[in-house]
Amino acid sequence: MTSKGHVVVAMSGGVDSSVAAALLQRQGYQVSGMMLRLWSEPGREMSNRCCTPEAMGIARRVAGQIGIPFYAVNAQDTFRDTVVEYFLDGYAQGGTPNPCLACNRHIRWEFLLNRALALGADFMATGHYVRLVREENQPVRLYEAVDQHKDQSYVLHVLEQAQLQHALFPLGDLTKDEVRAIAAELDLPAAQSKESQDLCFLAGQDYRDFLDRYSPQAGSPGPILDRTGRQMGQHDGLAHYTIGQRKGLGIAAPEPLYVLEKDIARNALIIGTRAELGRDTLVTGPVIWQSCQAPSAPFAAQVKIRYSARKAAATVTPLPDGSSEVAFDEPQRDITPGQAAVFYNLEGEVLGGGLIQGEAAPAPAARESLIQIAV
């Protein structure tokens, strides 16, 4: 059978990347496996979720079992300087960063992709649950996965055409149960591997303990204030809280209180009632547009503001500096600087996205010239 091309699979020792490699080989690709050695806090190397010696051993066994070459690549310094620093800086600046966005953009789809291409690969594949649509002489389009519970399009909105042209995601049309069934059918060592939602470099520890060791300034105590400026208590450090948080404030009040925002200038945590929590606008940083140029006019979209959030109807207004304003049809509780706002059309295609910078000023005129994107 003629090979469809050489693809390097980013392997982790988990069931998803293992099945991805097996499926691509079955489909007629020349497959190689590649696994990154990522940074771990000294003394916690055995607990890093992504690249423990056990995970590396499983990935090697899977590669041997299906008969593909396997490479280990040291990315510890790059990961530390890029992803861990992004995490620390984000909290120091009062945000709630999502380091998976930085990892996917700079580690998997820059550092690792470049090494795959240097090996002569045509494609790189991962075990992410997303779908791609390829049409001749058209941009590659990124869609949500069939399995909505596993969909990872939110964290892959950071990919541009330069990466999407070389990307393969063989699990996008499968459910997690189907993937596990394939792993069991092939008797892969990773068939029953457990999943974790923890950040890999935290090695199971509380992120606040990690911040206290590596970014102590982010844990400086300060006042808890209401919207009027009245002091309601004392916080343990702004990094210990996130927008929308209710528990752990240590304040007795007639009705539940929530974190509304973080005031870096005053090192103050601003709290209020549930009615005060909702916001209907936000502004992003520079937007990555997946398969189109930045639209020239406001458009209607479905927008996710966190990985686990539901999409909400909104109007997106591209701005001249490459950023965007988003006006939601209904107020959203958890608009959080440092997370991403990702734009979808009604068919589940990712249109673009950018990091949330904060609340935007209302722009009523934007609603008067809506266009529907058909890209």
Side-chain angles (χ1 to χ4, degrees):
M1 180 171 59
T2 303
S3 172
K4 292 183 176 181
H6 180 196
V7 54
V8 166
V9 179
M11 300 186 72
S12 66
V15 65
D16 295 328
S17 60
S18 299
V19 169
L23 288 177
L24 289 167
Q25 186 190 52
R26 181 186 290 178
Q27 292 166 14
Y29 289 92
Q30 176 193 345
V31 179
S32 300
M34 189 177 286
M35 185 168 178
L36 293 172
R37 297 183 186 274
L38 303 179
W39 180 85
S40 298
E41 188 175 3
R44 296 178 181 269
E45 293 84 356
M46 301 297 289
S47 302
N48 186 315
R49 179 169 60 87
C50 284
C51 53
T52 61
E54 179 185 8
M56 185 73 72
I58 292 174
R60 285 187 185 279
R61 283 163 50 202
V62 169
Q65 184 171 326
I66 64 177
I68 64 172
F70 179 82
Y71 307 91
V73 179
N74 190 331
Q76 294 179 73
D77 291 342
T78 303
F79 185 86
R80 174 67 172 81
D81 295 342
T82 304
V83 177
V84 180
E85 285 301 324
Y86 173 88
F87 177 80
L88 296 173
D89 290 347
Y91 274 107
Q93 294 167 16
T96 303
N98 185 334
C100 295
L101 299 174
C103 184
N104 277 300
R105 184 171 189 181
H106 298 296
I107 302 300
R108 283 192 179 92
W109 291 97
E110 182 176 315
F111 181 92
L112 185 58
L113 175 60
N114 287 341
R115 276 147 186 79
L117 296 177
L119 280 178
D122 303 293
F123 303 100
M124 192 178 88
T126 68
H128 283 99
Y129 288 78
V130 292
R131 292 177 294 148
L132 296 181
V133 172
R134 284 184 161 87
E135 296 175 342
E136 190 173 358
N137 300 321
Q138 295 294 322
V140 179
R141 298 148 77 103
L142 177 66
Y143 283 80
E144 294 174 306
V146 166
D147 189 338
Q148 288 288 297
H149 297 293
K150 295 301 298 179
D151 172 61
Q152 292 167 299
S153 59
Y154 178 89
V155 295
L156 290 181
H157 86 274
V158 296
L159 303 188
E160 301 179 71
Q161 283 298 308
Q163 292 85 43
L164 291 172
Q165 293 287 345
H166 294 287
L168 294 175
F169 300 110
L171 307 188
D173 291 310
L174 301 174
T175 67
K176 183 71 176 194
D177 288 344
E178 289 171 330
V179 168
R180 287 204 179 277
I182 293 169
E185 172 198 336
L186 298 175
D187 196 26
L188 296 179
Q192 298 303 319
S193 62
K194 296 180 180 179
E195 294 186 65
S196 171
Q197 300 302 317
D198 297 331
L199 298 177
C200 61
F201 59 86
L202 293 183
Q205 65 184 306
D206 191 307
Y207 80 96
R208 290 166 289 197
D209 296 334
F210 184 86
L211 288 170
D212 288 343
R213 288 195 296 279
Y214 287 92
S215 184
Q217 72 276 13
S220 302
I224 299 178
L225 308 176
D226 66 13
R227 283 288 193 197
T228 69
R230 179 170 55 126
Q231 183 160 349
M232 305 289 289
Q234 181 101 343
H235 68 73
D236 299 324
L238 294 180
H240 293 190
Y241 305 85
T242 190
I243 305 301
Q245 179 176 332
R246 180 172 69 86
K247 296 182 179 179
L249 299 180
I251 297 172
E255 60 181 310
L257 298 174
Y258 300 81
V259 175
L260 303 181
E261 63 179 279
K262 303 176 186 181
D263 186 329
I264 298 298
R266 294 185 290 174
N267 189 32
L269 192 71
I270 312 302
I271 64 171
T273 63
R274 185 183 182 91
E276 296 176 280
L277 183 60
R279 297 287 180 271
D280 60 6
T281 63
L282 64 83
V283 62
T284 73
V287 174
I288 298 171
W289 299 100
Q290 261 58 53
S291 61
C292 63
Q293 299 295 321
S296 58
F299 62 91
Q302 299 290 307
V303 180
K304 286 184 72 168
I305 56 173
R306 289 200 182 194
Y307 178 80
S308 58
R310 292 184 177 181
K311 290 180 288 187
T315 300
V316 179
T317 303
L319 300 178
D321 64 357
S323 63
S324 69
E325 289 186 1
V326 179
F328 291 94
D329 292 2
E330 301 289 342
Q332 303 298 301
R333 276 191 40 165
D334 300 328
I335 295 175
T336 305
Q339 298 293 302
V342 180
F343 319 141
Y344 298 79
N345 65 18
L346 293 176
E347 288 71 46
E349 180 182 359
V350 178
L351 304 175
L355 291 182
I356 299 170
Q357 303 297 309
E359 185 180 3
R367 296 181 182 271
E368 297 174 5
S369 56
L370 289 182
I371 62 169
Q372 295 287 342
I373 281 196
V375 293

